[in-house]
Amino acid sequence: MRILIIEDDGQTSAYVSKGLTECGYLVDIASNGKEGLVRAVSEDYDLAIIDRMLPELDGLSIVETLRRANKDTPIIFLSALGGVSDRVKGLRSGGDDYLVKPFAFSELLARVEALLRRPASRAVETNLRVADLEMNLLARQITRCGQTIELQPREFRLLEYLMRHAGQVVTRTMLLENVWDYLFDPQTNVIDVHISRLRQKIDKNFEPALLHTVRGAGYSLRGPD
Amino acid sequence: MRILIIEDDGQTSAYVSKGLTECGYLVDIASNGKEGLVRAVSEDYDLAIIDRMLPELDGLSIVETLRRANKDTPIIFLSALGGVSDRVKGLRSGGDDYLVKPFAFSELLARVEALLRRPASRAVETNLRVADLEMNLLARQITRCGQTIELQPREFRLLEYLMRHAGQVVTRTMLLENVWDYLFDPQTNVIDVHISRLRQKIDKNFEPALLHTVRGAGYSLRGPD
DNA sequence: CTTCAATTATCAAAATGCGCATGGTTCTTC
DNA sequence: GAAGAACCATGCGCATTTTGATAATTGAAG
């Protein structure tokens, strides 16, 4: 379990970090708001502990930004501001819990674990999305721009793999290994054929194209940036 | 959104209930632990607010029992016991939050909404289970007693329908409509055939049988009670 | 014991899914 | 701008899977 601490007071962050590490969590510390936000957005933490008052960017704004970006990492506020209205503000902004300094580590830990225990934290991803292309793993249904698209099993696997690696370049070797379970090169153009068929279905009739060829390397599924 | 309050102090429960009702929640009140537990188990609340000290059965025990019964209704403890160790105990027992009396209603409301906003509250069911028979909708995988079982698409649909209606009697007409999309009677024994095939796979080699015939009516999937 | 519903086995038709080969297209490099 | 490389699209056919029907057997209820 990975936890991010955003806290400018080195003493507090060291204290919390030490305790959590001892309990087996992987802890990262960001000492200002900007850095914290960047890390929270770009990496996948299971929980974040955020100070409300921070240099560069305050805690409330971080959380609001995160939530707007659809990141629902559980968040515990840590703050010296202990008034009812402060706590309400923190929770309303998208925080999941609010602990007033000074606090007992044991309570923080209990609250961390209460949040991590919520099924949401380990929720299974049932939906993948790249731009307006959506895959519902449960219903095995693909839609682009609201229109549903039918895929064959192999095409489905192919697309799932591409979506799970959206933005990255996916090589033929990766596809052979992970979509076809081949450990060798079949010396044919199977991949090309299926990529082509997939394109017919997900990119033809739509704008813009999402499945791009990376000459000499492989393919890459990505939306417009 | 339905909220259950388990609280013996009439004044507190009335106060909380009034506030929540004004916010559009449907509120039920149980004034002792036993009654509260029964309601929490038998009905489906989106959240429960539970006093720690209650006549008949204390709050901690209620929560522990609920969690053991696999109910993961979010729970907020409300208590006059405000020491760190009390709070930790409440959270450790399976509670999601702990608010010390006296409290501001606005904070309680903010905490209620923080919990309800967590996706967990509207988590999608990705797993069905009847006794030791499990269906993982995401992986489209069936296991009984840990052993994985292969099913054909139609058998899968059939079993899914049966599992979603476990305990009930499922008639042939229901099956024709929902598994075959037939709106008429095909005048053959398609259903019987598929039920038989399904039995071979899920009940043969296992004890006890889960798929029961209800003579003259249909079938019923259910575990031992 | 009889009857009718339910179960099971076997079969054949239908549908599907997949990969290959071929020939066409686009890109790169000189 | 020509040649070669990489990539793309299409149709075909094989193999397998999947399905539904028929018919024989079993078993429960009266």
Side-chain angles (χ1 to χ4, degrees), chain B residues 119-138:
Chain B
S121 318
R122 11 182 180 100
V124 207
E125 207 62 80
T126 69
N127 268 84
L128 298 175
R129 127 172 295 164
V130 172
D132 58 351
L133 179 67
E134 280 184 86
M135 169 177 281
N136 178 334
L137 277 317
L138 258 188

Side-chain angles (χ1 to χ4, degrees), chain B:
Chain B
M1 283 285 181
R2 304 186 57 206
I3 297 181
L4 175 66
I5 300 175
I6 312 182
E7 163 70 77
D8 62 322
D9 171 27
Q11 205 176 332
T12 306
S13 60
Y15 164 60
V16 172
S17 161
K18 180 160 169 289
L20 290 173
T21 307
E22 280 169 4
C23 294
Y25 295 101
L26 296 170
V27 180
D28 285 349
I29 297 176
S31 56
N32 70 68
K34 228 178 204 166
E35 183 199 339
L37 179 59
V38 171
R39 303 190 78 142
V41 171
S42 57
E43 301 183 48
D44 258 336
Y45 289 98
D46 298 291
L47 186 135
I49 296 171
I50 305 182
D51 191 5
R52 260 203 60 174
M53 290 188 302
L54 289 164
E56 305 254 5
L57 190 66
D58 77 294
L60 284 185
S61 314
I62 295 180
V63 175
E64 279 164 7
T65 310
L66 278 177
R67 296 306 187 220
R68 260 200 305 275
N70 259 328
K71 273 266 177 196
D72 53 6
T73 316
I75 284 164
I76 298 179
F77 273 114
L78 220 52
S79 170
L81 301 174
V84 167
S85 76
D86 294 311
R87 295 196 294 244
V88 169
K89 221 180 279 173
L91 295 164
R92 289 243 171 271
S93 73
D96 294 285
D97 206 339
Y98 195 105
L99 201 51
V100 178
K101 292 184 192 177
F103 58 91
F105 177 74
S106 63
E107 180 170 3
L108 174 61
L109 182 61
R111 290 190 180 270
V112 164
E113 300 194 332
L115 276 173
L116 290 179
R117 132 167 45 97
R118 290 267 90 205
S121 318
R122 11 182 180 100
V124 207
E125 207 62 80
T126 69
N127 268 84
L128 298 175
R129 127 172 295 164
V130 172
D132 58 351
L133 179 67
E134 280 184 86
M135 169 177 281
N136 178 334
L137 277 317
L138 258 188
R140 304 220 129 220
Q141 198 179 249
I142 322 285
T143 61
R144 174 143 190 204
C145 203
Q147 255 182 277
T148 93
I149 294 174
E150 299 281 322
L151 291 190
Q152 304 295 3
R154 174 124 298 147
E155 290 163 3
F156 191 95
R157 260 180 95 177
L158 175 57
L159 181 58
E160 180 180 349
Y161 189 81
L162 288 166
M163 291 185 85
R164 288 192 188 279
H165 297 79
Q168 311 166 30
V169 173
V170 170
T171 67
R172 281 151 194 280
T173 314
M174 286 162 75
L175 292 177
L176 284 176
E177 282 185 8
N178 297 291
V179 179
W180 273 265
D181 303 316
Y182 285 177
L183 298 169
F184 51 91
D185 186 337
Q187 310 283 351
T188 70
N189 64 347
V190 224
I191 291 184
D192 307 54
V193 169
H194 280 265
I195 288 281
S196 167
R197 294 214 251 253
L198 190 54
R199 275 208 177 107
Q200 298 293 320
K201 301 191 178 179
I202 66 166
D203 272 347
K204 205 178 173 185
N205 306 327
F206 295 100
E207 276 301 329
L210 300 178
L211 183 43
H212 305 278
T213 305
V214 183
R215 213 141 214 276
Y219 300 90
S220 171
L221 188 76
R222 69 166 173 283
D225 298 302

